[in-house]
Amino acid sequence: MARIENSQWKLSMVGFTAFVLATIFFLITGPNIPGILGFLTSAIILFIINAVYVFYPNKKSGNTKKSDID
């Protein structure tokens, strides 16, 4: 469990968990397609933001290491 709490992908996991729970809720209470699509859209946006957050600093730090060697 400690690996999940310290993961950089925690924001994406929260977004998709919220999507799954909202989908189950909306299907139980009545088929609300716009609500389900809204939560799916927000989960995808959170995933994209999280991916930029995870990959951009790694590329940036990789470029600084190369310049230190030269």
Side-chain angles (χ1 to χ4, degrees), residues 11-60:
L11 184 64
S12 294
M13 289 186 283
V14 168
F16 281 107
T17 302
F19 164 67
V20 169
L21 293 176
T23 302
I24 292 169
F25 174 75
F26 282 133
L27 290 176
I28 289 172
T29 59
N32 185 358
I33 301 300
I36 293 171
L37 292 177
F39 272 96
L40 176 62
T41 304
S42 65
I44 291 171
I45 290 171
L46 283 175
F47 175 76
I48 292 170
I49 290 171
N50 202 124
V52 169
Y53 170 76
V54 169
F55 292 127
Y56 179 70
N58 291 341
K59 288 183 180 180
K60 187 176 179 182

